[in-house]
């Protein structure tokens, strides 16, 4: 194929460090998709922290949950 044939379907991939605008766009799009698919309400963030008896972090997770 020639370059001209590729130009109509051209795409680029960029690999790098933190990208706040990409993170926000993906979050917005996923939240909107999930709301349409599930009918869920406004999402809210929550965390789970697991600590040992000395207060040292053993593990955890962050997520968001939506209510109806």
């Amino acid at each position: 194929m020639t370059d001209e044939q590729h130009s109509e379907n051209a795409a680029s991939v960029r690999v790098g460090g933190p990208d706040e605008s990409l993170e926000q766009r993906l979050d917005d799009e996923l939240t909107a998709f999930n709301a349409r698919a599930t009918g869920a309400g406004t999402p809210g963030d929550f965390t789970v922290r697991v600590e040992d008896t000395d207060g040292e972090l053993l593990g955890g997770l962050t997520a968001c949950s939506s209510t109806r």
Side-chain angles (χ1 to χ4, degrees):
M1 296 185 144
T2 66
D3 289 337
E4 184 177 315
Q5 289 171 314
H6 284 285
S7 66
E8 290 181 33
N9 297 320
S12 65
V13 175
R14 289 184 281 164
V15 178
D19 186 333
E20 290 181 25
S21 66
L22 175 61
E23 288 182 37
Q24 188 63 57
R25 172 79 185 268
L26 293 175
D27 184 56
D28 292 346
E29 297 278 341
L30 184 57
T31 298
F33 173 84
N34 287 339
R36 286 190 308 272
T38 65
T42 304
D45 296 330
F46 72 92
T47 61
V48 176
R49 176 184 283 263
V50 181
E51 298 175 339
D52 66 14
T53 57
D54 294 325
E56 291 296 317
L57 181 67
L58 297 175
L61 64 90
T62 61
C64 66
S65 175
S66 297
T67 58
R68 286 184 179 229

mmCIF file of all heavy atoms in Angstrom, residues 3 5 21-22 29 36 40-41 44-46 56-57 59 68:
data_model
loop_
_atom_site.group_PDB
_atom_site.id
_atom_site.type_symbol
_atom_site.label_atom_id
_atom_site.label_comp_id
_atom_site.label_asym_id
_atom_site.label_seq_id
_atom_site.Cartn_x
_atom_site.Cartn_y
_atom_site.Cartn_z
ATOM 1 N N ASP A 3 1.589 5.411 0.870
ATOM 2 C CA ASP A 3 1.315 6.319 1.982
ATOM 3 C C ASP A 3 -0.057 6.952 1.842
ATOM 4 O O ASP A 3 -0.750 7.187 2.825
ATOM 5 C CB ASP A 3 2.381 7.408 2.068
ATOM 6 C CG ASP A 3 3.718 6.861 2.551
ATOM 7 O OD1 ASP A 3 3.719 5.797 3.210
ATOM 8 O OD2 ASP A 3 4.752 7.497 2.279
ATOM 9 N N GLN A 5 -2.742 5.638 0.625
ATOM 10 C CA GLN A 5 -3.756 4.682 1.048
ATOM 11 C C GLN A 5 -3.819 4.593 2.583
ATOM 12 O O GLN A 5 -4.867 4.375 3.143
ATOM 13 C CB GLN A 5 -3.474 3.310 0.459
ATOM 14 C CG GLN A 5 -3.718 3.252 -1.041
ATOM 15 C CD GLN A 5 -3.232 1.958 -1.639
ATOM 16 O OE1 GLN A 5 -2.124 1.515 -1.346
ATOM 17 N NE2 GLN A 5 -4.051 1.357 -2.469
ATOM 18 N N SER A 21 -5.043 14.561 31.071
ATOM 19 C CA SER A 21 -6.184 14.737 30.171
ATOM 20 C C SER A 21 -6.680 13.393 29.644
ATOM 21 O O SER A 21 -7.892 13.191 29.499
ATOM 22 C CB SER A 21 -5.851 15.689 29.021
ATOM 23 O OG SER A 21 -4.863 15.147 28.177
ATOM 24 N N LEU A 22 -5.787 12.455 29.377
ATOM 25 C CA LEU A 22 -6.194 11.119 28.956
ATOM 26 C C LEU A 22 -6.931 10.414 30.082
ATOM 27 O O LEU A 22 -7.987 9.813 29.861
ATOM 28 C CB LEU A 22 -4.983 10.295 28.521
ATOM 29 C CG LEU A 22 -5.278 8.840 28.167
ATOM 30 C CD1 LEU A 22 -6.252 8.736 27.002
ATOM 31 C CD2 LEU A 22 -3.988 8.093 27.887
ATOM 32 N N GLU A 29 -15.606 8.967 29.898
ATOM 33 C CA GLU A 29 -16.245 8.073 28.924
ATOM 34 C C GLU A 29 -16.720 6.782 29.581
ATOM 35 O O GLU A 29 -17.827 6.306 29.301
ATOM 36 C CB GLU A 29 -15.276 7.753 27.781
ATOM 37 C CG GLU A 29 -14.845 8.950 26.965
ATOM 38 C CD GLU A 29 -15.855 9.352 25.904
ATOM 39 O OE1 GLU A 29 -16.712 8.529 25.542
ATOM 40 O OE2 GLU A 29 -15.771 10.502 25.435
ATOM 41 N N ARG A 36 -25.162 4.571 31.269
ATOM 42 C CA ARG A 36 -26.128 4.182 30.244
ATOM 43 C C ARG A 36 -26.433 2.688 30.315
ATOM 44 O O ARG A 36 -27.576 2.276 30.189
ATOM 45 C CB ARG A 36 -25.605 4.526 28.849
ATOM 46 C CG ARG A 36 -25.637 5.996 28.513
ATOM 47 C CD ARG A 36 -25.333 6.246 27.030
ATOM 48 N NE ARG A 36 -24.116 5.605 26.554
ATOM 49 C CZ ARG A 36 -22.895 6.132 26.608
ATOM 50 N NH1 ARG A 36 -22.724 7.328 27.150
ATOM 51 N NH2 ARG A 36 -21.862 5.493 26.127
ATOM 52 N N ALA A 40 -27.225 3.316 36.579
ATOM 53 C CA ALA A 40 -26.721 3.704 37.900
ATOM 54 C C ALA A 40 -26.653 5.212 38.027
ATOM 55 O O ALA A 40 -26.581 5.935 37.035
ATOM 56 C CB ALA A 40 -25.343 3.094 38.130
ATOM 57 N N GLY A 41 -26.638 5.664 39.255
ATOM 58 C CA GLY A 41 -26.571 7.096 39.542
ATOM 59 C C GLY A 41 -25.151 7.623 39.506
ATOM 60 O O GLY A 41 -24.257 7.043 38.889
ATOM 61 N N GLY A 44 -19.433 7.389 43.243
ATOM 62 C CA GLY A 44 -18.711 7.911 44.388
ATOM 63 C C GLY A 44 -17.482 7.056 44.639
ATOM 64 O O GLY A 44 -17.512 5.837 44.466
ATOM 65 N N ASP A 45 -16.385 7.685 45.028
ATOM 66 C CA ASP A 45 -15.145 6.965 45.276
ATOM 67 C C ASP A 45 -15.169 6.277 46.633
ATOM 68 O O ASP A 45 -15.816 6.750 47.568
ATOM 69 C CB ASP A 45 -13.952 7.925 45.234
ATOM 70 C CG ASP A 45 -13.757 8.543 43.865
ATOM 71 O OD1 ASP A 45 -14.102 7.888 42.872
ATOM 72 O OD2 ASP A 45 -13.256 9.677 43.800
ATOM 73 N N PHE A 46 -14.485 5.144 46.724
ATOM 74 C CA PHE A 46 -14.276 4.508 48.020
ATOM 75 C C PHE A 46 -12.941 3.779 48.009
ATOM 76 O O PHE A 46 -12.387 3.496 46.962
ATOM 77 C CB PHE A 46 -15.421 3.570 48.426
ATOM 78 C CG PHE A 46 -15.494 2.281 47.648
ATOM 79 C CD1 PHE A 46 -14.849 1.148 48.111
ATOM 80 C CD2 PHE A 46 -16.212 2.201 46.483
ATOM 81 C CE1 PHE A 46 -14.917 -0.044 47.411
ATOM 82 C CE2 PHE A 46 -16.291 1.015 45.777
ATOM 83 C CZ PHE A 46 -15.640 -0.109 46.240
ATOM 84 N N GLU A 56 1.055 -0.648 59.523
ATOM 85 C CA GLU A 56 1.753 -0.697 58.238
ATOM 86 C C GLU A 56 0.801 -1.195 57.151
ATOM 87 O O GLU A 56 0.057 -2.151 57.359
ATOM 88 C CB GLU A 56 2.979 -1.615 58.317
ATOM 89 C CG GLU A 56 4.092 -1.076 59.183
ATOM 90 C CD GLU A 56 4.694 0.200 58.637
ATOM 91 O OE1 GLU A 56 4.929 0.280 57.420
ATOM 92 O OE2 GLU A 56 4.896 1.125 59.441
ATOM 93 N N LEU A 57 0.862 -0.548 56.010
ATOM 94 C CA LEU A 57 0.008 -0.920 54.893
ATOM 95 C C LEU A 57 0.375 -2.296 54.362
ATOM 96 O O LEU A 57 1.534 -2.561 54.040
ATOM 97 C CB LEU A 57 0.134 0.119 53.767
ATOM 98 C CG LEU A 57 -0.713 -0.120 52.531
ATOM 99 C CD1 LEU A 57 -2.194 0.025 52.848
ATOM 100 C CD2 LEU A 57 -0.309 0.860 51.431
ATOM 101 N N GLY A 59 -2.030 -3.805 52.023
ATOM 102 C CA GLY A 59 -2.665 -3.829 50.711
ATOM 103 C C GLY A 59 -3.864 -2.916 50.702
ATOM 104 O O GLY A 59 -4.213 -2.303 51.714
ATOM 105 N N ARG A 68 -28.315 3.535 42.697
ATOM 106 C CA ARG A 68 -29.487 3.764 41.851
ATOM 107 C C ARG A 68 -30.413 4.713 42.504
ATOM 108 O O ARG A 68 -30.617 4.822 43.617
ATOM 109 C CB ARG A 68 -30.209 2.464 41.572
ATOM 110 C CG ARG A 68 -29.462 1.630 40.589
ATOM 111 C CD ARG A 68 -30.272 0.408 40.270
ATOM 112 N NE ARG A 68 -29.547 -0.356 39.302
ATOM 113 C CZ ARG A 68 -30.084 -0.816 38.200
ATOM 114 N NH1 ARG A 68 -31.335 -0.600 37.932
ATOM 115 N NH2 ARG A 68 -29.387 -1.513 37.354
#
